[in-house]
Amino acid sequence: MKKQIKQLKKEKNAVILAHYYAPVQVQEIADYVGDSFYLAKIAKQSDADIIVFCGVYFMGESAKILNPDKKVLMPDLTADCPMAHMVADGVIDEMRKKYADLAVVCYINSTAELKFQSDVCVTSSNAVKIVKALPNKNIFFIPDKNLGRFVAEQVPEKNIVINDGCCPIHAKITAEQLLREKRRHPDALVLSHPECEAEVLELSDYIGSTADIITYSKKSDANEFIICTEDGVDYKLITDNPEKRFYYPDPHPCCSDMKLNTLEAVLSVLQDEDKEVFVEDKIRTGALVPLEKMLELAK
Ligand code: 13P
Ligand code: SF4
C-alpha cells in the first residue's frame, strides 16, 4: 500500500499532510506531519494540485479555505472534531451587542461557519501571542473553555469571556489518573495540552500544543515524561528521543476520529479522488479573513 500511495502521489502531484494524532502508518508516509498551525501554514504554501489532509474535518476545511483552487481530499470525510460545533446559536451576536469593541477569537478547531462569524483564528501554539497582540479589551473565546481559560490566565489585562465547549478526549483525563501515573514514575515531568481541564494543568510542569510538547521533550534534560494529550504524538516523541521514556494517563487518550485516517483510506482516496472538501463561497471568503489574520499575527 505504501508503494502504491507513493506512486499515485507522484503521478497526481499530490501532497499528504498528517496531524500528530493520525495513525502511525499514515505519519510514516506523509510528506508533512505537524500540529494544526504548522499544517495550516504548509497548506497555504503548497504548490501541489491535490492536498490529502489526514486529520479531522475542520483541518481539511481550513486547507480548502486557504486554497480554493486546489483539490482538498480527506481519507474519511466523517472524521470530525466534536468540539468544532460547540458554540450555541446566537451567542456570538449576543456578545457583540454586549461589548462594542468585542473581538471574537476562534480556536481553529471550529466549523467554517463559526470562523465566518469570528475576527481572528488561533491555534494552541499561538493563542496567547495573538490575544495579547489584539487591540481589543473584550474578547469572546470560542469554542474551547480550557484553552480559553489558559489564555485568560496568561493575559490578565483583558476581559476574556469563555465559551463552554471542550475536547471530549482531553476532558476525560483526570487529576486522579495523572496522580496515579506520577506515583508510578516519580521522576517524570508532566507535559500537557492546554485542552486539558484545570485540575490536570495545575499538576503539569509544561503546557503547550502538540508541537510545543515535542520540542520541549527534545530539549529537556529529563529522561521521563508523562504526556497528557492524544497518544498519536508518541510516534514522533519516540522517534526523536529513542533513549527517553514516555507515559500516558491510563486509559490512553485516543481520538477515534483522527484514527479514521487509515492507510487503506489514504490509498483509496488517492485512487478515486472521491472524498473532496467543499466550502460554500460566501462562508469561504468570510472564514478566510480570520485565518489569514492568524497567519499574519503569528509571524
Ligand atoms: P494542536 O494545536 O496541538 O495541533 O492540537 C490540535 C488538536 O486537535 C488538539 O486536540
Ligand atoms: Fe477534536 Fe479533541 Fe480529537 Fe483534537 S483530540 S481533534 S480537539 S476531539
Side-chain angles (χ1 to χ4, degrees):
M1 272 194 284
K2 286 181 176 169
K3 258 195 194 153
Q4 280 176 279
I5 289 172
K6 219 171 159 184
Q7 180 70 24
L8 280 167
K9 239 175 34 174
K10 209 166 149 196
E11 269 170 42
K12 300 192 173 193
N13 188 27
V15 68
I16 300 182
L17 274 51
H19 191 270
Y20 288 126
Y21 297 164
V24 170
Q25 298 87 336
V26 168
Q27 293 191 46
E28 280 171 348
I29 52 99
D31 298 290
Y32 300 93
V33 183
D35 72 350
S36 314
F37 181 53
Y38 173 77
L39 295 175
K41 278 193 300 184
I42 293 291
K44 168 100 179 146
Q45 291 159 10
S46 169
D47 54 11
D49 295 318
I50 297 178
I51 297 174
V52 179
F53 212 121
C54 305
V56 284
Y57 196 73
F58 76 82
M59 296 180 178
E61 203 172 44
S62 299
K64 183 67 185 176
I65 293 165
L66 291 163
N67 294 284
D69 301 330
K70 290 205 170 113
K71 192 176 236 187
V72 178
L73 301 172
M74 292 190 69
D76 191 322
L77 287 170
T78 70
D80 198 9
C81 170
M83 180 167 66
H85 307 267
M86 290 186 191
V87 180
D89 284 349
V91 67
I92 295 177
D93 289 342
E94 267 169 42
M95 284 296 166
R96 288 207 191 273
K97 275 187 206 138
K98 197 163 171 191
Y99 300 102
D101 78 322
L102 190 78
V104 178
V105 176
C106 182
Y107 188 22
I108 198 166
N109 296 39
S110 56
T111 61
E113 286 78 6
L114 287 172
K115 292 184 177 81
F116 172 78
Q117 298 175 64
S118 301
D119 298 295
V120 64
C121 288
V122 296
T123 75
S124 55
S125 66
N126 57 36
V128 171
K129 179 177 178 178
I130 290 180
V131 170
K132 268 190 185 159
L134 292 173
N136 317 59
K137 166 99 175 130
N138 294 298
I139 308 286
F140 184 33
F141 194 98
I142 59 168
D144 186 16
K145 66 171 182 184
N146 289 311
L147 181 62
R149 186 196 56 252
F150 174 70
V151 172
E153 283 165 8
Q154 316 292 310
V155 195
E157 64 275 21
K158 304 219 175 199
N159 173 39
I160 304 184
V161 183
I162 299 165
N163 178 72
D164 192 25
C166 72
C167 161
I169 316 302
H170 287 81
K172 254 191 237 148
I173 305 172
T174 63
E176 206 175 72
Q177 291 170 357
L178 177 52
L179 287 169
R180 200 184 323 138
E181 220 49 44
K182 273 166 81 78
R183 281 195 294 275
R184 284 183 190 150
H185 311 287
D187 295 332
L189 291 183
V190 179
L191 316 185
S192 299
H193 197 282
E195 285 178 16
C196 293
E197 297 284 330
E199 60 175 31
V200 169
L201 296 188
E202 276 159 22
L203 293 167
S204 301
D205 296 292
Y206 177 75
I207 300 162
S209 73
T210 48
D212 293 335
I213 288 174
I214 288 162
T215 308
Y216 185 93
S217 65
K218 205 170 175 180
K219 286 191 181 154
S220 169
D221 292 333
N223 286 315
E224 291 183 282
F225 304 89
I226 299 168
I227 305 294
C228 294
T229 192
E230 213 270 356
D231 71 355
V233 294
D234 198 55
Y235 173 63
K236 178 73 175 155
L237 288 171
I238 57 173
T239 314
D240 283 1
N241 311 279
E243 73 294 356
K244 298 188 179 183
R245 292 286 162 266
F246 299 95
Y247 311 107
Y248 295 82
D250 185 11
H252 280 206
C254 176
C255 177
S256 52
D257 283 274
M258 283 284 188
K259 303 306 184 217
L260 292 171
N261 294 287
T262 60
L263 211 52
E264 290 85 346
V266 174
L267 176 57
S268 159
V269 81
L270 266 171
Q271 282 166 334
D272 302 337
E273 298 183 31
D274 53 345
K275 299 189 178 76
E276 187 170 353
V277 178
F278 293 105
V279 185
E280 188 197 318
D281 242 17
K282 183 178 151 218
I283 299 288
R284 192 195 69 73
T285 46
L288 182 63
V289 178
L291 270 173
E292 288 203 315
K293 193 163 179 188
M294 171 186 78
L295 294 172
E296 185 54 38
L297 288 175
K299 269 183 192 159

